[in-house]
Amino acid sequence: MKRLFFVLLFLVSLVSEAQIVGKVTDTSKAPLANVNVYVQNTYTGTTTNDDGNFELNVGREGKYIIIVQYLGYTKVTKEVNIESFPYILNITLKEETTSLDEVVINSSEDPAYRIIRATIAQRKENLEKISEYTADFYSRGLWKVKDVPEKILGQEVGNLEGALDSTRSGIIYLSETISKISYQQPNDFNERIIASKVSGRDNGFSFNSAQESTFSFYENTIDLRAAIVSPIANNALSYYDYKLDGVFYENGKLINKIIVIPKRPKDRVFSGQIYIVEDDWQLYGVEIKTTGSAIQVPFIKEIVFKQNFKYDKDYDFWVKLSQTIDFGFGFMGLNGEGHYICNYSNYDFEPNFDKDSFSNEVLSFEPEANKKDSLFWKGTRPVPLTNEELNDYIKKDSLQTLRRSKPYLDSIDNMSNKFSFTAPLLGYTYTESYEKWRLSYEGPVPGIAFNTVQGYNSNAGLSFFKWYNENQTNWIAASLNATYGIDEDKLRFQGRITKNFNRKNNLRFSLSGGSKLEQFNSSEPISPLINSISTLFFERNYMKLYKLDFARLEYQQELFNGLETRVRVGHENRSPVFNNSDHYYINNGSDVSYTSNNPLAPTDFTNPAIEEHSILKSDIAFRITFGQKYFSNPDMKFNIGNELYPRLTIRFENGLGASDSDYNFSQLSGELYQDFGLGNKGEFYYRVKGGTFFNGDDISFVDYQHFNGNQTRVGTSPNYTNTFNLLPYYDLSTNKSYLEGHMEHDFRGWILGKIPGINQLNFNLVVGAHVLATQDRKPYSEFSVGVDNLGFGVYRLLRVDYVRSNYNGVQDGAFVFGLKFLDLLGL
């Protein structure tokens, strides 16, 4: 009853502030959502919510001409004389009657093609019309889930902090923003958020972004992870068929309703209808959709776009007023839907931009943007809340104080802190949310592995995490881990403590030390899981190890936007280790047997690759992200890169004070990496690395430059721009100058999506080239062609490549099977 009272009180205060309020329905009295309601010849407007309700603030009493416009319905123009507020205005819209009576039909071609060609010819001019502007922007995002299972993969789901009702359905995310945006082609964008509201979090910052939500179908492609071809792109006629469904008039202008039909439904395409203004050749409205398989996000079922435009007579252009994006999703029994509303107003298409109008900060929040009270939102929100949304705000906001209380947090912790009989083997976490700390135990079972040095081995450990604010930007973490190998019969410990000061420049210090077995290549090109399988089932023990006793101090920080640094100084003692196990499951014949732990001499089981020695090791690295764009709020900074420019890393590594002076050395190295989209033609990646040694002639093999080879024929990374898939792990390791380059292009369906039959499978063609040049040796090269996005249903985490290598006149070829899910699982 109390909640009902608050809802009624809120609605009464809302109406009294709302000026013109009402509801838009169709002729059967069903509410119409996302209807544009605005004052004629102005940008003073709003959009109806899912209940059909609207609020329109006009400022003062007087006469107004109100326009009510919605795709598929006849526009209503209503003159009102307001003498007092609130003014009630309910509107009924009739479905638009389209006709082909005035259309000249050509038996050889549908009339839609003439319209589409004219619109494509006008595309660049239309883009130029919106090449720069400022506007007010409002967005609201909502995620709902339905019938959430009690458990997913054996883990308790809970009630998602009270979001689920008795049917295990409810809103899990509801957020709004009000902002001012500026745009200048081709890539300058700025959003200043004035107000931000997140349901259930009075200090939350919304994730809604105008740049991420602004889509123009005048562009050739729409970037939705994959580049989806616009129905009016330059090459649209190669992707779509069209049918003129009918025409109607609005204020003397002829509007064409055109059905958009994909030539190949599995291609990167939309379907639906677009509305084009005759002679202006501009968009009047868009109502089209695409699928999760088209954008290659399989758990997305469908994405529906609706855009509404109005004619600006001063600018002589049809301007976008509103946009909605609706989508459904489903994964592992978790199903739901999302809904985003975007409302644009107060455009200025002749802004006076100067050199200070744009920077690399593309999104920022005004001070106190997340502290606006309900009175502010009542008077400013252009699209009214639905009853469901209003109830969610009232419910979750009323629980905020409770959620921060010790009894509530303790009750939540008590559920997650339950100790199970499997905890000693699998792990356990104990949390004290009110005190802001948690203690975790890592059990031995998940870490079980096998290598020929330790035999069967595993690790267990404790970790402690303490945070000092709600957003966990300031925290300290400590861990202690133990590793034991049965055949080696050695127990080793290592520990680490890290202090993170903030999320603005990520200032962080770490102190670590202990004893462990380390791969000679510290990049760890072979994972314990892959090595275990390769060793036990194929008698190929590729992992080569040495013992490392160490103590290190690390520091990292973003010095300023686009420049990050990391400094590491430590003392290391390295010593050799030998095979202690010859165990296997499958004997592959007399021609296959274990190699020694010496990567320089695989058949030498007596002499090690290194002698025991100690050294003071230091390295400093700078990572430069050219033109780096970023989001920021008062607590955090989120770097989002810039695909127009590469990322450069420069590193100086130094070893001195070695127990054998011949081991002292220096190495200067660099790396250049970039990935960028090529429209609907896919994604291109490249990486170039190179370096040189100073005083490196007699250094330890540990300090050689090792390259990420692969002898297992199994790949785990999303792309292969840091891997040679047929190169033996240590054959070309060097202590001299070197240069390596990687290139890969993922066509994202541009080629295979056009082949009948194959295009139904939604596979991606991938080609790659890799080269390695080391001083005093001939170059090594690889070329590959593969198919990505393999799998079943929503599980598309497989890939297969055929790779050809060439070194010193010897060529080799093999298939490499990509198991990308191992990378996602950290295996």
Side-chain angles (χ1 to χ4, degrees):
M1 189 66 185
K2 185 182 293 186
R3 180 178 298 171
L4 178 60
F5 171 76
F6 280 119
V7 171
L8 292 174
L9 181 64
F10 188 90
L11 288 173
V12 169
S13 64
L14 194 64
V15 169
S16 66
E17 299 258 352
Q19 312 293 325
I20 302 175
V21 298
K23 186 165 190 168
V24 180
T25 61
D26 63 15
T27 53
S28 65
K29 302 302 181 182
L32 294 176
N34 309 314
V35 178
N36 289 118
V37 183
Y38 59 94
V39 178
Q40 188 179 54
N41 299 327
T42 74
Y43 287 112
T44 301
T46 183
T47 306
T48 60
N49 63 21
D50 285 352
D51 297 328
N53 298 321
F54 71 90
E55 306 158 10
L56 180 60
N57 293 313
V58 294
R60 61 179 184 272
E61 295 87 350
K63 292 184 178 181
Y64 296 92
I65 297 176
I66 307 300
I67 307 296
V68 183
Q69 176 186 335
Y70 188 52
L71 286 181
Y73 290 78
T74 301
K75 184 174 77 173
V76 169
T77 301
K78 188 81 171 179
E79 184 173 344
V80 298
N81 186 8
I82 301 174
E83 296 179 352
S84 64
F85 294 111
Y87 186 88
I88 308 300
L89 179 64
N90 295 317
I91 300 292
T92 298
L93 294 183
K94 298 179 180 179
E95 286 194 37
E96 186 70 67
T97 301
T98 59
S99 171
L100 293 174
D101 293 345
E102 300 183 31
V103 179
V104 178
I105 304 296
N106 185 331
S107 60
S108 64
E109 183 179 67
D110 192 283
Y113 286 89
R114 173 190 63 84
I115 300 165
I116 292 296
R117 289 192 185 99
T119 306
I120 292 173
Q122 184 84 359
R123 189 186 65 83
K124 285 188 177 180
E125 185 175 330
N126 289 338
L127 277 174
E128 189 62 31
K129 284 275 190 177
I130 52 174
S131 62
E132 59 177 13
Y133 61 83
T134 62
D136 292 340
F137 178 77
Y138 168 79
S139 69
R140 182 156 77 234
L142 179 146
W143 288 61
K144 296 194 297 185
V145 291
K146 297 180 292 187
D147 304 321
V148 176
E150 297 280 351
K151 293 183 178 181
I152 295 179
L153 296 178
Q155 299 298 310
E156 294 282 350
V157 175
N159 71 346
L160 302 180
E161 296 187 344
L164 304 182
D165 59 20
S166 59
T167 66
R168 298 195 60 78
S169 303
I171 296 174
I172 59 173
Y173 174 76
L174 172 61
S175 174
E176 300 175 89
T177 61
I178 295 174
S179 58
K180 293 187 176 295
I181 59 175
S182 302
Y183 169 75
Q184 187 176 51
Q185 71 175 9
N187 298 300
D188 287 325
F189 196 94
N190 178 265
E191 178 177 10
R192 183 75 173 170
I193 293 180
I194 299 168
S196 172
K197 184 175 178 64
V198 180
S199 182
R201 296 186 61 190
D202 59 7
N203 64 344
F205 293 99
S206 172
F207 290 104
N208 303 348
S209 161
Q211 186 176 29
E212 298 295 323
S213 305
T214 299
F215 300 99
S216 173
F217 288 91
Y218 292 120
E219 299 285 355
N220 282 320
T221 58
I222 306 298
D223 188 7
L224 301 172
R225 187 182 180 271
I228 310 300
V229 178
S230 167
I232 53 173
N234 282 342
N235 58 344
L237 293 170
S238 298
Y239 288 83
Y240 297 101
D241 293 322
Y242 303 91
K243 179 182 179 182
L244 182 63
D245 192 51
V247 300
F248 60 92
Y249 282 92
E250 182 175 301
N251 295 337
K253 290 186 176 289
L254 180 67
I255 312 298
N256 300 283
K257 180 182 179 182
I258 297 174
I259 306 298
V260 177
I261 307 164
K263 288 181 178 293
R264 297 169 294 274
K266 292 290 187 178
D267 215 338
R268 308 296 178 255
V269 290
F270 294 101
S271 64
Q273 50 263 348
I274 58 176
Y275 298 77
I276 295 175
V277 184
E278 187 81 14
D279 296 329
D280 292 347
W281 310 124
Q282 296 170 19
L283 290 171
Y284 170 87
V286 172
E287 190 172 0
I288 56 179
K289 63 185 178 181
T290 189
T291 62
S293 61
I295 66 173
Q296 299 200 336
V297 182
F299 60 84
I300 296 291
K301 298 175 181 177
E302 187 176 77
I303 305 178
V304 181
F305 289 85
K306 292 182 181 179
Q307 292 183 346
N308 291 283
F309 297 75
K310 62 160 279 192
Y311 181 67
D312 186 323
K313 68 176 184 179
D314 294 330
Y315 197 58
D316 189 28
F317 191 72
W318 291 80
V319 177
K320 181 167 61 178
L321 277 184
S322 65
Q323 172 184 276
T324 63
I325 304 174
D326 294 275
F327 59 91
F329 60 88
F331 186 70
M332 292 187 175
L334 186 66
N335 295 285
E337 59 189 38
H339 179 63
Y340 278 85
I341 300 172
C342 301
N343 187 276
Y344 302 82
S345 60
N346 297 326
Y347 281 103
D348 180 0
F349 290 102
E350 296 178 347
N352 295 315
F353 291 142
D354 57 31
K355 62 181 179 64
D356 298 321
S357 296
F358 297 96
S359 68
N360 287 324
E361 185 180 39
V362 297
L363 183 149
S364 60
F365 288 76
E366 287 191 352
E368 305 298 315
N370 63 334
K371 303 297 183 183
K372 304 296 184 183
D373 60 21
S374 58
L375 291 176
F376 170 87
W377 284 99
K378 291 174 193 176
T380 311
R381 179 186 288 119
V383 182
L385 298 171
T386 65
N387 291 335
E388 182 183 35
E389 292 164 341
L390 177 59
N391 283 327
D392 190 73
Y393 272 134
I394 293 174
K395 172 187 172 183
K396 291 179 180 175
D397 290 351
S398 66
L399 290 174
Q400 282 186 98
T401 302
L402 173 64
R403 284 178 175 173
R404 295 191 180 103
S405 68
K406 190 175 190 303
Y408 177 82
L409 292 174
D410 286 349
S411 67
I412 297 298
D413 289 341
N414 288 338
M415 294 180 62
S416 61
N417 290 342
K418 290 180 180 178
F419 192 85
S420 69
F421 71 93
T422 60
L425 298 176
L426 301 179
Y428 172 74
T429 296
Y430 179 85
T431 303
E432 283 284 352
S433 299
Y434 187 78
E435 301 295 336
K436 297 183 174 63
W437 62 267
R438 65 174 173 264
L439 180 67
S440 298
Y441 160 71
E442 181 184 353
V445 170
I448 292 176
F450 181 87
N451 62 65
T452 51
V453 172
Q454 296 173 288
Y456 285 101
N457 63 90
S458 187
N459 60 79
L462 294 173
S463 62
F464 174 79
F465 184 79
K466 167 72 176 175
W467 63 97
Y468 298 95
N469 54 27
E470 190 171 346
N471 291 324
Q472 299 189 11
T473 58
N474 183 3
W475 52 264
I476 189 168
S479 63
L480 177 66
N481 292 286
T483 303
Y484 178 73
I486 294 176
D487 287 282
E488 187 190 30
D489 195 22
K490 291 285 178 63
L491 181 66
R492 296 184 175 88
F493 294 91
Q494 57 178 309
R496 184 180 186 90
I497 183 167
T498 301
K499 169 63 178 175
N500 193 88
F501 290 87
N502 61 70
R503 282 286 304 275
K504 296 291 278 187
N505 63 8
N506 291 310
L507 175 61
R508 182 180 301 179
F509 286 95
S510 297
L511 178 65
S512 59
S515 180
K516 64 177 180 177
L517 293 186
E518 180 92 334
Q519 294 188 45
F520 283 96
N521 183 349
S522 60
S523 297
E524 298 185 344
I526 182 169
S527 71
L529 175 63
I530 297 297
N531 180 73
S532 299
I533 296 172
S534 173
T535 303
L536 290 170
F537 291 92
F538 301 97
E539 289 188 87
R540 300 185 185 277
N541 55 323
Y542 293 123
M543 182 181 286
K544 306 302 177 185
L545 305 166
Y546 70 97
K547 179 188 174 188
L548 174 64
D549 301 315
F550 69 100
R552 289 184 186 137
L553 178 65
E554 297 179 46
Y555 149 80
Q556 70 179 57
Q557 183 180 5
E558 183 180 58
L559 301 177
F560 54 82
N561 182 54
L563 178 61
E564 300 171 73
T565 186
R566 190 203 69 219
V567 179
R568 182 166 61 187
V569 180
H571 182 270
E572 299 182 2
N573 189 83
R574 296 94 164 253
S575 53
V577 291
F578 297 88
N579 288 351
N580 291 288
S581 175
D582 58 3
H583 177 68
Y584 57 83
Y585 287 153
I586 299 176
N587 188 334
N588 287 281
S590 58
D591 59 329
V592 178
S593 61
Y594 285 147
T595 58
S596 74
N597 192 50
N598 184 345
L600 296 174
T603 60
D604 188 342
F605 289 82
T606 303
N607 297 305
I610 62 170
E611 300 295 333
E612 183 174 357
H613 64 280
S614 61
I615 192 169
L616 183 64
K617 188 81 174 288
S618 65
D619 72 71
I620 180 170
F622 294 95
R623 188 170 73 176
I624 306 166
T625 305
F626 297 102
Q628 177 171 273
K629 304 291 185 181
Y630 64 94
F631 298 165
S632 71
N633 64 41
D635 297 327
M636 291 176 270
K637 177 174 182 279
F638 302 91
N639 296 326
I640 57 176
N642 188 336
E643 71 167 18
L644 297 177
Y645 304 101
R647 185 184 68 210
L648 173 65
T649 302
I650 300 173
R651 180 183 178 193
F652 184 74
E653 187 179 7
N654 189 60
L656 54 85
S659 54
D660 183 337
S661 60
D662 287 341
Y663 290 165
N664 295 332
F665 76 101
S666 297
Q667 183 190 178
L668 178 65
S669 61
E671 175 183 313
L672 198 66
Y673 174 80
Q674 186 178 11
D675 66 270
F676 52 88
L678 294 174
N680 66 315
K681 297 174 181 61
E683 194 86 4
F684 183 80
Y685 310 81
Y686 73 86
R687 190 187 306 268
V688 179
K689 301 165 71 173
T692 189
F693 283 83
F694 305 95
N695 190 38
D697 291 344
D698 299 309
I699 63 175
S700 168
F701 186 68
V702 171
D703 297 310
Y704 273 48
Q705 178 63 37
H706 305 291
F707 306 102
N708 294 331
N710 183 8
Q711 294 174 261
T712 65
R713 305 301 184 257
V714 174
T716 59
S717 56
N719 62 66
Y720 297 138
T721 58
N722 201 27
T723 302
F724 295 96
N725 270 315
L726 297 187
L727 176 66
Y729 292 105
Y730 298 103
D731 276 14
L732 297 182
S733 298
T734 185
N735 57 349
K736 301 181 184 297
S737 298
Y738 60 91
L739 178 69
E740 65 173 299
H742 305 267
M743 177 279 292
E744 189 170 285
H745 185 76
D746 185 342
F747 286 96
R748 293 286 178 89
W750 186 61
I751 292 179
L752 298 185
K754 296 177 175 61
I755 303 175
I758 293 179
N759 60 10
Q760 300 298 308
L761 302 174
N762 204 23
F763 292 162
N764 294 340
L765 179 67
V766 184
V767 296
H770 314 263
V771 64
L772 172 61
T774 55
Q775 187 175 329
D776 302 330
R777 295 191 183 113
K778 291 186 177 180
Y780 172 89
S781 63
E782 288 181 359
F783 298 93
S784 63
V785 59
V787 178
D788 198 0
N789 204 44
L790 301 175
F792 305 94
V794 300
Y795 306 100
R796 295 264 179 170
L797 295 170
L798 304 177
R799 161 178 179 170
V800 62
D801 293 76
Y802 181 72
V803 185
R804 293 289 298 178
S805 67
N806 190 335
Y807 178 63
N808 206 22
V810 177
Q811 295 188 355
D812 195 8
F815 285 97
V816 174
F817 299 91
L819 309 179
K820 295 186 289 183
F821 62 88
L822 294 179
D823 182 69
L824 293 176
L825 297 174
L827 301 175

